[in-house]
Amino acid sequence: MKINLKHGIDQLVFGMKQNDVIAIYGKPNRNYKDEDDNVIFSYNTLKMRLTFYKDEDFKLGYIVASSSEMELFENKVIGKNISEVKSQLNTKGITKFTQEEFDTFENYFNEDNWIIFQTEFDEVVKFEIGAIINDKDEFDWKFKG
């Protein structure tokens, strides 16, 4: 599954509505609301959790994924050493990361592309990507459906 920076993952495009996603991937394994009343879809086989923002008319705005099939610039990221992933990204001009630590986990956040690589023991275990916020402090929705 291809990670499309600033756009989404695979056929998922930021700004899609729930019905758009269901038309592609079918009904989710779980469908619930979080503490902010955002709608969350969870797909077991895809190993993805999708967030549809309540305050944005329930548009797809955030994806958390842990499938070993995730590829960024044709390189797999899940299961890889974070230094290897960062080295590959460096060749594409993605060099700035903010690092946070939580117990045995570390997050590497790149704000320009709104991506997070979560690692445990220096290995990427989870990837997160969010819709970009533009200069007007609004979401830059990519889906034109």
Side-chain angles (χ1 to χ4, degrees):
M1 299 185 92
K2 185 178 175 191
I3 297 166
N4 302 303
L5 293 180
K6 301 181 182 180
H7 286 81
I9 294 177
D10 196 42
Q11 298 178 64
L12 297 169
V13 179
F14 292 124
M16 285 180 151
K17 298 291 196 96
Q18 295 167 57
N19 287 339
D20 300 317
V21 173
I22 290 170
I24 297 169
Y25 293 110
K27 292 193 180 218
N29 296 97
R30 288 185 63 205
N31 176 350
Y32 60 96
K33 290 187 177 183
D34 66 11
E35 64 276 358
D36 297 320
D37 284 332
N38 299 314
V39 171
I40 311 295
F41 277 14
S42 176
Y43 287 93
N44 294 346
T45 55
L46 300 174
K47 294 189 177 181
M48 282 199 273
R49 183 176 75 225
L50 317 178
T51 302
F52 299 88
Y53 292 137
K54 176 187 176 191
D55 293 344
E56 296 293 329
D57 198 27
F58 293 102
K59 291 181 179 176
L60 175 62
Y62 205 79
I63 304 169
V64 178
S66 60
S67 170
S68 60
E69 299 304 308
M70 289 293 131
E71 288 187 2
L72 181 57
F73 301 118
E74 299 180 10
N75 295 302
K76 295 201 186 284
V77 293
I78 302 296
K80 297 290 183 186
N81 187 289
I82 187 62
S83 60
E84 181 183 339
V85 173
K86 285 173 68 178
S87 175
Q88 291 167 344
L89 292 174
N90 194 35
T91 66
K92 303 293 184 183
I94 301 172
T95 58
K96 188 177 172 193
F97 288 91
T98 305
Q99 186 176 341
E100 296 179 294
E101 295 181 12
F102 311 91
D103 299 321
T104 61
F105 293 95
E106 290 180 292
N107 282 353
Y108 295 84
F109 173 61
N110 173 268
E111 186 173 5
D112 293 341
N113 294 288
W114 212 264
I115 56 175
I116 297 173
F117 295 93
Q118 186 176 87
T119 65
E120 186 173 33
F121 309 115
D122 287 336
E123 182 180 295
V124 178
V125 294
K126 194 182 292 180
F127 177 79
E128 302 182 24
I129 184 169
I132 299 294
I133 296 175
N134 64 25
D135 296 337
K136 298 175 188 167
D137 206 27
E138 300 169 339
F139 282 101
D140 182 12
W141 300 118
K142 300 298 185 183
F143 185 68
K144 307 299 180 204

